[in-house]
Amino acid sequence: MSVGIVSYSHTKYGKLAEDIPTLLKNTIESAVSNVERGIDPSDIDLLVVSNVDNQFSNQHQIGTVALRYLQNRQAEAFRIEAACASGGMATYVAKQMIESGSARNALVVGVEKMTHLSTGVTTSILIRGGAPEEIKYGATQPAAYGFVAQLYMQKYGATEDDYALVAVKNHKNAMKNPWAQFHKEFTVEAVKNSTMIASPIRLLHCSPITDGATAILLSGEPKKYTDTPVYIRGMGVGYDTMGVFEREDPTFMLASKIASEKAYKSAKIEPKQVKVAEVHDAFSPAEIIACEAIGLAKKGDGYKLLREGRTMADGDMPVNVSGGLKAKGHPIGATGIGMIIEIYLQVRGQAGERQVPDVEYGIVENHGGTGATSVVTVLGR
Amino acid sequence: MTSTQVKLIAYSVIEVAPPGYQTPYGVAMTEDEKGARHLVRVKQEGLSALKIGLSGELRTEKVDSEELEFFYLKQ
């Protein structure tokens, strides 16, 4: 069985006026009504909600809340949480349930509302994505990525300019994405002079605090609903230690390597067949390291991809043409699904100004915390 | 008070923190003589001297109700 995506819905990312129930309602209704040949809600028997923290949403049982808007009370509904990898994980669970025969069609919805809280409170919520020791010592997410960034520069000779270039590229890409939170370009110098958050991570290395909602409808019989489905050709999940400090090589994302190897194997393709990638640049150095983990560059060579222009939108291996988490935004529960939607559009040739030519396969790397959980998805025609 | 000899592997000086933390403060990855890694805190007065590869010692101290390990430069 090939599970395919037959419909999607995507809000703008940024500071949104709608509350969580309204975001769920609009996103679910839009994804259902966008099915080209139509679908009866009674044929959607699974609803998986990706939502990271109920301190953001102020809502327990969010799966059941979402069910209210599906017009099918017989569907099963629940929430999945894997920190920033929640969207990828929710998609993975839905796909597995379709393949196992537990569901025919599954709606995967991601939602997060973050901008109503202060940066300090948001930081206190996001630190929970780290290891218990990181929480105890106050090692925030930027600090944990700070360790990685510092060690990577020391080991491989990357520089702060390389990390800044990632942010510059992704802000440039976001200019062509109407959903993006930011439509503003920055220079390398501006990134390097931005406020220090947790050395060496600066404000303009960080993905922002964002509201947003996304949804994809998966089907075990995609041709029933559209002539042009995009198939999940391969998917894999991988894990590493929760804490960066515990890792044998803190400069490498082992979980994403494991997940991508599974995804490539099930898709029966090699990394070189991928034409476009969305990777989890929650902090700019992560893009470089994630590219290595999913096989787009050798270990320690990831930073050279951008120096050589290869991961630019017009390069031979465009990465984060959406603007990435950095500039498109990072409404955590919605993010992984939003990344899949970008590659879905790229494969269908419907990415507008952002379209990369001749995309047969694209890849999504969506990781949680500092890479303790990773979900990698290969999409194709 | 206990003490462990360590080498500084990586560190970060945190400027933006959850409520209740006095910024800036440091967190560091250290490695002891047996190769065991420790995640530790660095006090504000020690931040300016931090450098990868420095030797130091860990001292366990009580902060509020919790026991934390702190990195101190070798004198």
Side-chain angles (χ1 to χ4, degrees):
Chain A
M1 176 193 288
S2 293
V3 173
I5 302 172
V6 299
S7 175
Y8 76 95
S9 176
H10 197 308
T11 66
K12 182 170 169 33
Y13 283 178
K15 186 173 176 61
L16 302 183
E18 297 93 332
D19 60 10
I20 287 273
T22 308
L23 285 170
L24 284 170
K25 179 179 187 295
N26 294 346
T27 307
I28 290 168
E29 288 178 354
S30 169
V32 173
S33 66
N34 284 345
V35 177
E36 285 164 15
R37 291 186 186 152
I39 189 168
D40 192 310
S42 65
D43 288 330
I44 301 172
D45 37 22
L46 179 64
L47 175 54
V48 186
V49 178
S50 164
N51 177 251
V52 169
D53 199 293
N54 48 42
Q55 197 175 335
F56 285 138
S57 65
N58 202 27
Q59 180 69 62
H60 291 173
Q61 297 193 82
I62 199 165
T64 314
V65 173
L67 196 54
R68 176 190 285 176
Y69 307 112
L70 184 61
Q71 310 302 328
N72 176 16
R73 284 277 166 191
Q74 303 308 312
E76 293 183 5
F78 51 84
R79 167 193 169 206
I80 292 283
E81 183 276 311
C84 306
S86 299
M89 193 64 82
T91 306
Y92 179 75
V93 169
K95 173 184 168 285
Q96 297 291 92
M97 286 186 70
I98 291 172
E99 287 175 343
S100 71
S102 301
R104 293 166 297 155
N105 302 301
L107 189 59
V108 186
V109 183
V111 67
E112 211 77 61
K113 195 70 186 153
M114 302 169 72
T115 63
H116 59 298
L117 298 175
S118 70
T119 301
V121 171
T122 301
T123 304
S124 71
I125 295 170
L126 297 181
I127 199 172
R128 298 173 197 160
E133 295 86 349
E134 289 169 340
I135 299 169
K136 178 178 172 180
Y137 278 88
T140 59
Q141 291 273 302
Y145 272 102
F147 292 159
V148 174
Q150 194 178 49
L151 288 166
Y152 186 90
M153 286 192 285
Q154 188 190 34
K155 188 171 181 181
Y156 295 116
T159 65
E160 290 191 20
D161 279 22
D162 292 308
Y163 298 153
L165 276 171
V166 173
V168 169
K169 168 181 72 71
N170 291 346
H171 272 274
K172 184 177 182 185
N173 289 347
M175 297 295 284
K176 293 181 176 174
N177 188 345
W179 291 324
Q181 182 165 0
F182 297 118
H183 292 115
K184 185 175 181 180
E185 294 196 57
F186 291 96
T187 63
V188 166
E189 286 310 308
V191 176
K192 286 169 68 181
N193 289 325
S194 63
T195 307
M196 188 65 84
I197 303 296
S199 64
I201 302 295
R202 293 177 180 275
L203 179 66
L204 288 175
H205 294 130
C206 303
S207 56
I209 294 166
T210 310
D211 304 331
T214 50
I216 48 175
L217 181 60
L218 305 185
S219 178
E221 297 177 284
K223 285 276 189 182
K224 194 172 166 184
Y225 302 104
T226 174
D227 289 332
T228 53
V230 170
Y231 292 95
I232 297 178
R233 292 299 186 192
M235 206 164 186
V237 173
Y239 299 91
D240 199 349
T241 63
M242 279 295 284
V244 167
F245 72 98
E246 303 171 280
R247 294 178 192 161
E248 191 181 324
D249 182 356
T251 66
F252 191 66
M253 286 187 176
L254 182 63
S256 294
K257 177 179 166 40
I258 292 166
S260 66
E261 284 174 349
K262 289 177 184 172
Y264 287 129
K265 190 177 175 191
S266 52
K268 299 185 179 69
I269 66 163
E270 300 287 324
K272 64 184 177 196
Q273 290 175 261
V274 167
K275 278 285 177 69
V276 61
E278 287 286 302
V279 307
H280 200 92
D281 62 325
F283 299 91
S284 297
E287 177 176 302
I288 291 168
I289 297 165
C291 283
E292 296 175 12
I294 64 172
L296 304 184
K298 285 183 194 160
K299 206 171 173 178
D301 278 353
Y303 69 96
K304 296 175 187 167
L305 289 174
L306 188 48
R307 277 192 191 183
E308 294 162 2
R310 298 186 58 202
T311 51
M312 299 286 282
D314 59 356
D316 68 320
M317 184 59 249
V319 172
N320 287 335
V321 288
S322 69
L325 280 59
K326 173 69 204 80
K328 181 187 174 190
H330 186 18
I332 308 177
T335 294
I337 298 161
M339 296 166 85
I340 288 173
I341 290 170
E342 177 65 26
I343 298 299
Y344 162 88
L345 293 172
Q346 291 286 345
V347 171
R348 281 173 67 110
Q350 293 178 331
E353 283 188 273
R354 307 187 302 283
Q355 184 64 47
V356 172
D358 305 322
V359 177
E360 188 178 358
Y361 296 104
I363 194 166
V364 175
E365 185 268 349
N366 174 213
H367 67 252
T370 44
T373 308
S374 182
V375 185
V376 173
T377 309
V378 172
L379 299 178
R381 291 177 202 149
Chain B
M1 188 186 284
T2 58
S3 166
T4 307
Q5 304 302 307
V6 294
K7 204 167 143 182
L8 193 68
I9 304 295
Y11 65 91
S12 181
V13 178
I14 298 172
E15 306 282 352
V16 177
Y21 286 85
Q22 198 178 349
T23 55
Y25 64 94
V27 289
M29 269 173 67
T30 61
E31 199 168 272
D32 67 24
E33 289 151 342
K34 291 176 185 165
R37 298 251 186 87
H38 302 256
L39 182 65
V40 302
R41 188 78 72 77
V42 186
K43 287 186 176 169
Q44 212 173 84
E45 54 268 29
L47 297 178
S48 58
L50 289 179
K51 212 171 170 184
I52 292 174
L54 284 177
S55 296
E57 62 175 24
L58 301 185
R59 295 180 202 157
T60 305
E61 297 176 19
K62 210 161 185 175
V63 177
D64 299 324
S65 58
E66 274 206 293
E67 286 200 331
L68 298 180
E69 286 189 301
F70 283 83
F71 177 81
Y72 284 91
L73 278 176
K74 221 169 203 170
Q75 297 302 316

